[in-house]
Amino acid sequence: MARRPEMEMILADLQPDVVLLQETWLGAHHDAEIANFEGYQSYRRDRTRPVKDGGEVRGGGLLTLVTTGLAAQVTAESARDGVAETLTESVYFPKAPTLHVTNVYLPPSGTGPGDDRPTISEYFDPNDLPCGPGVFIGGDFNMHHRTWSTKVDVPGTRLAEWADEHGMLVWNEPEHHTHRQAHGDGYTYTSPDIVMAHDDYEPVCRTVTCAASDHNPILAEVELGILVRRHVHKQTFAWGRADWKAYREELERRSTEVLGNGNVYRASKQLTEMILDAAAKYIPKTWGRKRKTWWTSEVQEALKKRDEQLALVEAAEEPTGEQLEELGRLKEEAKTTVHAAKKEVLHEYLAQLHDPRDAGAPYRYIRRLEGKHERCEMMPLRHGEHEERVASTDRQK
């Protein structure tokens, strides 16, 4: 953070949405304010263990900045403190796919006899990195391959092979060096810094000269495109057109069918079928505007698998332990899928909230997540011998 003034100038000039900083050298003794930049949310991870046993805790540290106009949250941190340092955030762009950004710093390997620092090959495995659509990785890897640098080493070769195998594309190129080191009367130039992402993006990438540092920042630009969420349209009950009297009579007439059934799953199934049959007869359906915004094909598939397993359990005379265990697993999987879908659409909506004066907007949207109208009125209570009058006073109610 010693180069903060120039960093502030770069942020003001380029106005990036997301910034990945390595080797902040920040620790618990530093005030939180030192990592804050105007117009950005700060996500910080300090080094808490030395690189080598018995050594001093110094160096390292990560800082990710996300512009205040976007919603973001930390989703993962490195478990190998002191060596491989990573920090991952999910960044939610309005009407665009979520970007999962991982900030990386790998300390350089030991240089030979007398240097007992571990080598990168000893402490880092590329398979520990995330991959797949929406994944963006950037940082100081301290490794080389001709894909992004002018020289090659073993860790760099392993990383290049991993990237190729998992569809991850390295954006920066060898001719755009990111590091300079004094050597004799001049400098040597290399590229230990890497920016990569899943190959479904078409990036524009260049380095930015930074006079106060021996590293040149990499500026990566990408068009995320517009997110088209494919919802599954569902029919809903037209409650206002239901024949409730006939519906109630049908349930009362058939309620004795489930009495005395020893299998609780079969009894539950019969009761459910009875209710659905009566609803199909006396409660019409409509293709109205109401729908759950989170109802996607993934949610529908998870619920389908759960219901199919439930049908097997209900059909069995005595369900086995394996059947019940699988049912429990699929129920939990369906619950998790629904929760994740709700969470994602809520984050997308909150990322689009620009007017703090409309405090009711989030509340109305949460009601829409449940498939409800923005305004919800209770069914009126009626009284009288034939329930012909609407109850208006507390005594009548």
Side-chain angles (χ1 to χ4, degrees):
M1 302 302 292
R3 305 176 181 91
R4 183 185 177 100
E6 186 168 10
M7 185 68 215
E8 291 175 338
M9 292 176 60
I10 292 175
L11 293 179
D13 182 35
L14 301 178
Q15 298 184 350
D17 290 320
V18 182
V19 181
L20 308 181
L21 301 174
Q22 301 83 40
E23 289 196 271
T24 60
W25 287 54
L26 296 180
H29 58 286
H30 288 103
D31 188 86
E33 192 64 29
I34 195 173
N36 293 338
F37 289 82
E38 184 178 357
Y40 287 90
Q41 310 163 63
S42 300
Y43 301 92
R44 166 180 160 188
R45 189 185 194 286
D46 302 337
R47 180 180 292 178
T48 59
R49 291 176 53 196
V51 172
K52 56 184 179 179
D53 294 338
E56 182 184 356
V57 179
R58 60 192 297 269
L62 300 171
L63 179 64
T64 299
L65 306 178
V66 180
T67 183
T68 52
L70 299 175
Q73 63 174 347
V74 175
T75 54
E77 293 187 52
S78 170
R80 308 183 72 180
D81 192 17
V83 282
E85 301 176 24
T86 64
L87 178 62
T88 300
E89 291 85 19
S90 291
V91 183
Y92 304 93
F93 290 83
K95 297 182 180 180
T98 299
L99 200 61
H100 306 285
V101 182
T102 297
N103 193 352
V104 180
Y105 176 63
L106 306 180
S109 297
T111 56
D115 189 342
D116 58 355
R117 290 178 299 175
T119 65
I120 294 178
S121 296
E122 291 175 332
Y123 70 75
F124 174 71
D125 183 353
N127 291 305
D128 292 337
L129 293 173
C131 60
V135 170
F136 180 98
I137 302 173
D140 185 354
F141 282 75
N142 277 303
M143 58 178 67
H144 304 273
H145 187 269
R146 296 201 184 279
T147 302
W148 65 83
S149 186
T150 55
K151 57 183 182 178
V152 179
D153 56 29
V154 173
T157 300
R158 290 174 58 207
L159 181 63
E161 293 174 349
W162 172 87
D164 185 61
E165 179 181 349
H166 292 83
M168 300 294 289
L169 179 66
V170 176
W171 289 3
N172 50 307
E173 299 179 349
E175 56 267 27
H176 300 140
H177 68 270
T178 66
H179 180 256
R180 67 180 185 275
Q181 185 174 8
H183 183 76
D185 295 332
Y187 294 93
T188 57
Y189 299 94
T190 59
S191 297
D193 309 293
I194 303 172
V195 168
M196 68 170 72
H198 194 259
D199 59 12
D200 52 1
Y201 297 119
E202 296 183 4
V204 175
C205 197
R206 62 185 175 91
T207 56
V208 180
T209 302
C210 184
S213 173
D214 56 351
H215 286 261
N216 286 335
I218 301 173
L219 176 64
E221 300 175 276
V222 62
E223 183 66 42
L224 293 179
I226 301 300
L227 175 66
V228 180
R229 181 172 297 282
R230 303 190 183 279
H231 295 287
V232 179
H233 199 34
K234 294 182 63 183
Q235 278 189 311
T236 58
F237 287 109
W239 305 110
R241 305 206 305 269
D243 185 346
W244 293 111
K245 182 178 179 181
Y247 174 77
R248 181 174 56 193
E249 291 175 350
E250 174 80 4
L251 294 182
E252 289 176 349
R253 182 180 62 82
R254 296 184 55 186
S255 60
T256 57
E257 297 178 9
V258 299
L259 296 178
N261 196 323
N263 186 319
V264 66
Y265 290 99
R266 189 174 299 136
S268 175
K269 179 182 179 181
Q270 290 177 344
L271 181 61
T272 300
E273 290 176 348
M274 181 182 72
I275 293 173
L276 291 178
D277 288 345
K281 290 181 181 178
Y282 303 112
I283 307 177
K285 286 191 173 183
T286 179
W287 292 97
R289 292 185 178 182
K290 289 193 299 178
R291 63 174 173 82
K292 292 180 172 61
T293 57
W294 47 266
W295 189 275
T296 63
S297 57
E298 291 80 8
V299 170
Q300 182 165 297
E301 183 64 22
L303 296 180
K304 179 182 177 182
K305 290 180 180 179
R306 179 203 64 185
D307 293 343
E308 288 175 349
Q309 183 64 23
L310 178 60
L312 290 176
V313 171
E314 292 170 343
E317 198 67 38
E318 291 187 8
T320 65
E322 290 79 5
Q323 288 177 322
L324 295 175
E325 183 178 348
E326 179 66 6
L327 176 60
R329 186 189 69 80
L330 291 175
K331 281 184 175 180
E332 186 62 30
E333 184 177 293
K335 179 180 177 182
T336 302
T337 303
V338 170
H339 177 76
K342 287 183 176 181
K343 186 176 180 180
E344 184 171 357
V345 296
L346 181 59
H347 274 298
E348 289 170 2
Y349 172 74
L350 293 177
Q352 301 172 50
L353 286 180
H354 300 296
D355 188 357
R357 294 170 297 178
D358 188 3
Y363 172 75
R364 292 195 299 273
Y365 191 76
I366 289 171
R367 295 187 65 79
R368 285 180 55 201
L369 286 177
E370 300 298 334
K372 299 176 182 176
H373 284 301
E374 292 184 1
R375 296 183 61 188
C376 184
E377 297 180 359
M378 294 181 61
M379 182 181 295
L381 296 173
R382 297 181 178 273
H383 73 111
E385 182 178 356
H386 303 290
E387 298 185 351
E388 72 280 4
R389 295 192 297 271
V390 176
S392 57
T393 66
D394 288 344
R395 181 176 180 181
Q396 290 171 344
K397 293 176 183 179

